[in-house]
Amino acid sequence: MSASGGTKAIVAALGANLAIAVAKFVAFLFSGSSSMLAESVHSVADSGNQALLLVGGKKAKREATPEHPFGYGRERYIYAFLVSIVLFSVGGMFALYEGYEKIKHPHELEHWYWPVGVLVFAIIAEGFSFRTAIKESNTLRGRRSWKEFVRHAKAPELPVVLLEDLGALVGLVLALGGVGLALLTGDSVWDGIGTLCIGILLIMIALVLAAETKSLLLGESAGAEERQKIEAAVVDGDTVTRIIHMRTLHLGPEELLVAAKIAVQHDDTATEIAAAIDAAESRIREAVPIARVIYLEPDIYSEAEAAKGPDPEASPGGPTPHPADH
């Protein structure tokens, strides 16, 4: 996985979650706290999620094959989507069930110092993991807000780890609040309420992750900055006079497909056009290194044709011609 995949953040989160999961489960066995059981399952699910991200990163490195000529870069999107499913089903739904059961059948907390101690330890450990994820993300985020970074990042791993760590920290605070209120009031229903809140939080995060990774799976274009660089690199003002239309598609976080119809001079020879296309491809790769697959189609620009606007039937997703039309 490339550096932008956030391997360091994933490994840090995996180590923290494994240690925390064991500690939380031990605290549950001693105290009987449903919040601790929900949180232990949450940490186990998070550990599995980080393992999925690492597996996805490794599978994405496979070389292209005749069956998959554009490679396996989207494996990272698929595994990130699986993370959202695991977080929703294993983490969120289990917490909702456990919280409901605890409210319906409350029982007194035992050895309260176990869950409190473990929760404090977990908050510190998750804080270090979250700090690592923030540090890794800042190198890619630039001037974008955190919301924009999560919504528009092409590499899914860092947004996933960020949201997981954020959810873990908020969940730990909710669990600590539930346990604390149960101890102060003597009513363990508060422990169940805290567990329900954890479940709702996890489901909300899972839905956000699912929506963002679904968009990546469907195929997103290059960002505005990359598109501007590509457009500037294509036109040389001599043989290539303009871009008639262009489309880009992410084949993976660090692999971009560029397809464009370019206008050339009507009296240029085939040799001159071929040389101009080769030069344009080189300029594109220099300007945007992740542009790995480039298709440039030469054409003669016509103002009359351009005035008609784009042909919807020639566009991906456009209307399919009716069989009777042929």
Side-chain angles (χ1 to χ4, degrees):
M1 187 185 303
S2 70
S4 62
T7 307
K8 184 177 179 181
I10 297 173
V11 172
L14 177 60
N17 280 316
L18 286 173
I20 292 170
V22 173
K24 287 176 180 176
F25 192 71
V26 170
F28 160 71
L29 292 176
F30 277 96
S31 67
S33 168
S34 66
S35 291
M36 291 310 305
L37 179 59
E39 275 296 310
S40 62
V41 172
H42 177 190
S43 293
V44 170
D46 279 355
S47 300
N49 289 341
Q50 274 102 50
L52 284 173
L53 292 177
L54 291 172
V55 170
K58 185 175 182 180
K59 284 183 172 291
K61 291 180 178 180
R62 289 179 293 171
E63 295 293 330
T65 64
E67 186 177 7
H68 297 92
F70 292 115
Y72 293 85
R74 288 195 182 185
E75 289 268 16
R76 286 165 67 178
Y77 299 153
I78 293 170
Y79 279 84
F81 189 74
L82 289 176
V83 164
S84 67
I85 295 174
V86 171
L87 193 63
F88 178 89
S89 58
V90 178
M93 298 304 290
F94 179 82
L96 288 180
Y97 169 78
E98 186 63 26
Y100 170 78
E101 285 295 314
K102 187 59 181 284
I103 292 173
K104 189 176 180 180
H105 306 291
H107 62 270
E108 186 178 353
L109 293 179
E110 301 173 359
H111 307 291
W112 61 268
Y113 42 85
W114 275 98
V116 172
V118 167
L119 287 171
V120 172
F121 160 73
I123 288 173
I124 295 172
E126 286 287 1
F128 279 110
S129 175
F130 192 43
R131 179 176 176 272
T132 301
I134 290 175
K135 187 176 180 181
E136 289 278 293
S137 300
N138 276 333
T139 60
L140 297 175
R141 185 169 65 94
R143 296 181 179 180
R144 289 179 293 177
S145 67
W146 286 108
K147 181 181 178 181
E148 290 175 333
F149 174 70
V150 170
R151 290 195 61 188
H152 302 297
K154 304 304 180 183
E157 292 84 3
L158 282 173
V160 168
V161 174
L162 275 171
L163 288 176
E164 278 189 349
D165 284 350
L166 177 62
L169 281 171
V170 176
L172 288 168
V173 172
L174 291 172
L176 188 60
V179 171
L181 286 172
L183 293 172
L184 289 173
T185 63
D187 187 355
S188 58
V189 168
W190 285 106
D191 186 31
I193 293 174
T195 308
L196 282 178
C197 291
I198 292 169
I200 294 171
L201 171 70
L202 294 181
I203 288 174
M204 289 174 62
I205 291 175
L207 291 175
V208 171
L209 288 177
E212 296 306 321
T213 51
K214 174 190 172 184
S215 178
L216 292 170
L217 277 171
L218 288 174
E220 291 188 356
S221 66
E225 183 178 350
E226 285 76 19
R227 291 198 300 271
Q228 290 173 2
K229 289 180 179 179
I230 293 170
E231 290 169 357
V234 170
V235 179
D236 63 6
D238 184 14
T239 303
V240 182
T241 59
R242 69 168 64 222
I243 295 175
I244 298 174
H245 62 73
M246 180 181 75
R247 293 188 179 90
T248 60
L249 178 69
H250 268 275
L251 301 174
E254 284 90 32
E255 190 168 9
L256 187 66
L257 181 149
V258 179
K261 179 174 284 191
I262 57 175
V264 297
Q265 302 286 0
H266 70 280
D267 55 350
D268 285 334
T269 65
T271 301
E272 291 172 333
I273 292 173
I277 289 175
D278 290 341
E281 290 178 353
S282 297
R283 292 194 300 271
I284 291 172
R285 291 191 172 96
E286 184 178 354
V288 182
I290 66 171
R292 309 281 176 84
V293 183
I294 303 173
Y295 298 110
L296 300 179
E297 177 187 352
D299 201 350
I300 304 300
Y301 178 73
S302 168
E303 291 187 1
E305 289 297 319
K308 295 178 182 179
D311 180 4
E313 293 189 359
S315 303
T320 302
H322 193 276
D325 297 335
H326 296 279

